[in-house]
Amino acid sequence: MAEEVKANGALSAQAEELKTQGNQKFKEAHFSAAIDLYTQALELVPSAILFCNRSVAHLKLENYGYAEADATRAIECDPTYIKGYYRRGSAFFAMGKFKQAIKDLKTVCKIVPNDRDAKTKLATAQKELRAILFAECLERETPPPLNPENIIVPDSYQGLHLPDVVTESWVVNLMQEFKDQKKLHKKYVVMILLRIREILSRYTSLVYVNIPDNDEITVCGDVHGQYYDLMNIFQVNGRPNIDNPYLFNGDFVDRGSFSVEVILTLFTWKLCYPNHFHLTRGNHESKNMNKMYGFEGEVMAKYDAEVYDLFSNVFCYLPLGAVLNNKVLVVHGGLFAQDGIKLADIDNTDRVREPPESGIMCDILWSDPIKLNGRHPSKRGTSINFGPDVAHAFLNENGLDILVRSHEVKEEGYEVEANGRVITIFSAPNYCDQMGNKGAFIRFKGSEMKPKFTQFSAVPHPNIPAMNYARQFMFS
């Protein structure tokens, strides 16, 4: 927000110093450290400005539920503090709660009518709400399926042509083409997507993967459109093949500006080694996330709406999780809002749809672990946070040793919790070109199924920044 409005009440000298330190950490993009400092200051003085500062730090970490709660507390401390309404409106917008966002942003614009940021967000929230209402009222016929036979490749096209059988050497050549910032023709993109959908449609929602005693599998977390870091994973750990299987645990797209290259590379490796290259769905393999965080805009820039719609359809066929050697469950987000969920319940979940707002599918894609026992409101405003006791109970009831999940940036690329039984793995180093975190992946040997971590740093990429295709106004 452009205009700063003073909150009522003064901070103590100690609280003021903690706020200053928190502001410095925020400027350095150490948002978790900033939150800790603001929290310490709030323990001394419950101040509107401190709640609001913590709110914007949570926004940066995509903790939209916490951001909304802090902004609400800022308003409760000082109902005249306009930045509280702005931050809460921003949090509501990021959660897709456009009616609530519009109400708060109207309050801001009424008091500060010349604030450009608030006016832009308000207009966009109103536009999004109109689009949703229009889509609900409009009865549309399903468009005819894309037929690659009707897509002509011109003689001037100098790129790769898709073979009947995708081989390792062809995928390696494709990766080099993408590294050189060349495009695969639309016809072949459509063919890849149709072939992948056919493979994925054969799976149930939970895939069981067997790793022989002397073999290993690599599990990677979020990649988020960071194509050059994906290439580095294969450089560090070896390319996929029958003897070097992989599992990528969702959030392949959005944020990074090379999401098309990432997802097509992953899909072609899947075509090459369908039984040794595994993909599970993340919360960003969904239309509402893709609209806000860049994948829709990127596909529209590089291809067109037909290709984007086909991507969205194929994402719905991705499995929700994988079980490795009946010991390790791999899902993108985490566990459930209710007790008693069995692996069979996951397996029987209808996944071929956009993620719902509650239930097994929602929780698998959205929930997060915390260190406090029990279940608690989600920091994201969707699903829950679950404690070590919930994790232990679920794993014990289902005969599992470990839960591996992703979904959260970690400074070291991974984090181990719940006495070693909950692991977060995140494979997008220097997330969004600003977080400074390491990336990591895990290897499991079949005979042991004990995690071995490898960390790696970000590598250079072409001068196209992260979030280039995202809706920038959301993150101000």
Side-chain angles (χ1 to χ4, degrees):
M1 183 177 176
E3 183 172 332
E4 177 72 56
V5 182
K6 185 178 179 182
N8 292 332
L11 301 180
S12 67
Q14 186 178 358
E16 186 66 44
E17 175 59 25
L18 288 166
K19 177 172 80 78
T20 299
Q21 293 176 22
N23 291 347
Q24 183 59 41
K25 290 295 183 183
F26 184 91
K27 291 177 182 177
E28 296 169 356
H30 297 309
F31 303 120
S32 294
I35 288 169
D36 289 341
L37 289 161
Y38 295 142
T39 300
Q40 292 177 48
L42 280 163
E43 290 171 355
L44 299 172
V45 182
S47 155
I49 191 169
L50 288 171
F51 279 121
C52 216
N53 283 9
R54 195 169 69 175
S55 175
V56 72
H58 279 304
L59 280 171
K60 290 292 187 179
L61 291 176
E62 301 181 21
N63 300 338
Y64 300 130
Y66 287 176
E68 181 266 320
D70 272 347
T72 297
R73 294 192 69 180
I75 294 166
E76 290 170 351
C77 286
D78 183 357
T80 69
Y81 190 46
I82 301 306
K83 289 194 79 170
Y85 296 95
Y86 180 75
R87 296 304 178 201
R88 189 169 69 178
S90 298
F92 281 139
F93 189 103
M95 291 187 284
K97 298 178 179 180
F98 298 117
K99 288 182 180 179
Q100 296 96 315
I102 289 168
K103 182 178 179 180
D104 280 338
L105 294 169
K106 279 185 174 180
T107 299
V108 176
C109 291
K110 182 177 180 180
I111 297 173
V112 193
N114 294 323
D115 189 285
R116 184 187 307 173
D117 295 336
K119 288 169 66 177
T120 299
K121 272 190 175 170
L122 174 59
T124 308
Q126 291 170 327
K127 178 181 177 182
E128 294 292 343
L129 183 59
R130 286 195 299 270
I132 290 171
L133 295 175
F134 180 73
E136 290 175 351
C137 294
L138 184 65
E139 294 184 3
R140 294 170 48 186
E141 293 184 2
T142 302
L146 268 177
N147 184 352
E149 297 298 323
N150 296 331
I151 303 173
I152 305 301
V153 180
D155 293 337
S156 59
Y157 174 68
Q158 298 295 314
L160 291 174
H161 297 260
L162 185 68
D164 291 335
V165 177
V166 173
T167 62
E168 180 174 338
S169 62
W170 189 88
V171 181
V172 171
N173 288 336
L174 178 67
M175 290 174 64
Q176 184 61 47
E177 293 265 288
F178 287 159
K179 180 181 179 181
D180 296 337
Q181 299 184 72
K182 297 178 181 178
K183 282 176 54 179
L184 189 64
H185 193 272
K186 174 182 174 178
K187 178 185 183 77
Y188 304 128
V189 173
V190 171
M191 291 173 67
I192 288 168
L193 293 177
L194 293 176
R195 291 185 192 180
I196 281 292
R197 187 174 66 184
E198 172 61 27
I199 291 173
L200 297 178
S201 67
R202 302 172 195 160
Y203 296 143
T204 55
S205 292
L206 190 63
V207 176
Y208 286 79
V209 180
N210 179 61
I211 304 104
D213 285 352
N214 293 324
D215 290 354
E216 295 186 354
I217 189 170
T218 301
V219 179
C220 298
D222 302 35
V223 178
H224 272 303
Q226 297 184 197
Y227 176 70
Y228 294 82
D229 294 309
L230 173 64
M231 291 186 68
N232 187 47
I233 292 173
F234 295 147
Q235 181 70 34
V236 171
N237 193 57
R239 292 196 296 261
N241 58 52
I242 292 174
D243 298 318
N244 193 29
Y246 277 84
L247 190 162
F248 281 82
N249 191 29
D251 280 13
F252 319 122
V253 300
D254 282 339
R255 300 294 195 178
S257 295
F258 304 93
S259 292
V260 167
E261 290 78 7
V262 165
I263 192 61
L264 289 177
T265 296
L266 296 177
F267 278 171
T268 50
W269 279 120
K270 179 67 177 175
L271 291 178
C272 186
Y273 296 113
N275 298 319
H276 297 84
F277 195 87
H278 308 281
L279 302 167
T280 52
R281 191 175 186 177
N283 64 303
H284 277 264
E285 279 70 58
S286 62
K287 287 182 179 179
N288 60 339
M289 292 291 103
N290 297 161
K291 180 179 289 292
M292 292 189 287
Y293 293 96
F295 186 60
E296 180 186 58
E298 183 181 340
V299 177
M300 295 293 283
K302 295 177 179 179
Y303 293 100
D304 56 30
E306 287 184 321
V307 173
Y308 172 70
D309 287 344
L310 185 54
F311 267 118
S312 296
N313 178 258
V314 172
F315 287 162
C316 292
Y317 287 85
L318 287 163
L320 299 179
V323 178
L324 311 181
N325 277 13
N326 294 314
K327 293 184 177 181
V328 177
L329 174 66
V330 183
V331 297
H332 181 72
L335 300 180
F336 309 98
Q338 63 187 79
D339 291 326
I341 300 298
K342 305 295 186 183
L343 294 181
D345 297 318
I346 303 172
D347 201 24
N348 294 326
T349 298
D350 176 16
R351 74 183 187 282
V352 186
R353 53 179 171 156
E354 290 299 311
E357 295 184 359
S358 62
I360 287 176
M361 184 173 175
C362 173
D363 293 336
I364 273 182
L365 299 179
W366 279 97
S367 66
D368 295 288
I370 56 172
K371 295 176 173 56
L372 182 66
N373 279 339
R375 292 180 173 89
H376 305 272
S378 169
K379 62 185 180 182
R380 302 173 189 270
T382 302
S383 187
I384 60 158
N385 289 346
F386 61 93
D389 58 331
V390 174
H392 282 281
F394 172 84
L395 293 170
N396 291 341
E397 288 171 6
N398 285 279
L400 298 166
D401 293 342
I402 296 173
L403 168 69
V404 173
R405 42 89 61 183
S406 302
H407 197 39
E408 290 181 284
V409 60
K410 298 295 180 181
E411 287 194 16
E412 297 301 316
Y414 70 95
E415 184 174 13
V416 181
E417 303 176 72
N419 295 326
R421 300 191 72 184
V422 175
I423 298 172
T424 298
I425 191 73
F426 194 84
S427 303
N430 195 27
Y431 182 45
C432 291
D433 293 339
Q434 69 174 8
M435 297 298 287
N437 61 291
K438 294 179 181 178
F441 54 78
I442 315 172
R443 287 180 70 90
F444 288 100
K445 186 174 181 179
S447 60
E448 301 170 354
M449 296 307 294
K450 304 296 183 184
K452 294 183 293 184
F453 300 97
T454 298
Q455 297 170 295
F456 55 94
S457 298
V459 298
H461 63 72
N463 191 27
I464 304 173
M467 310 297 285
N468 189 61
Y469 300 98
R471 300 192 170 190
Q472 298 295 339
F473 60 83
M474 280 188 53
F475 311 102
S476 59

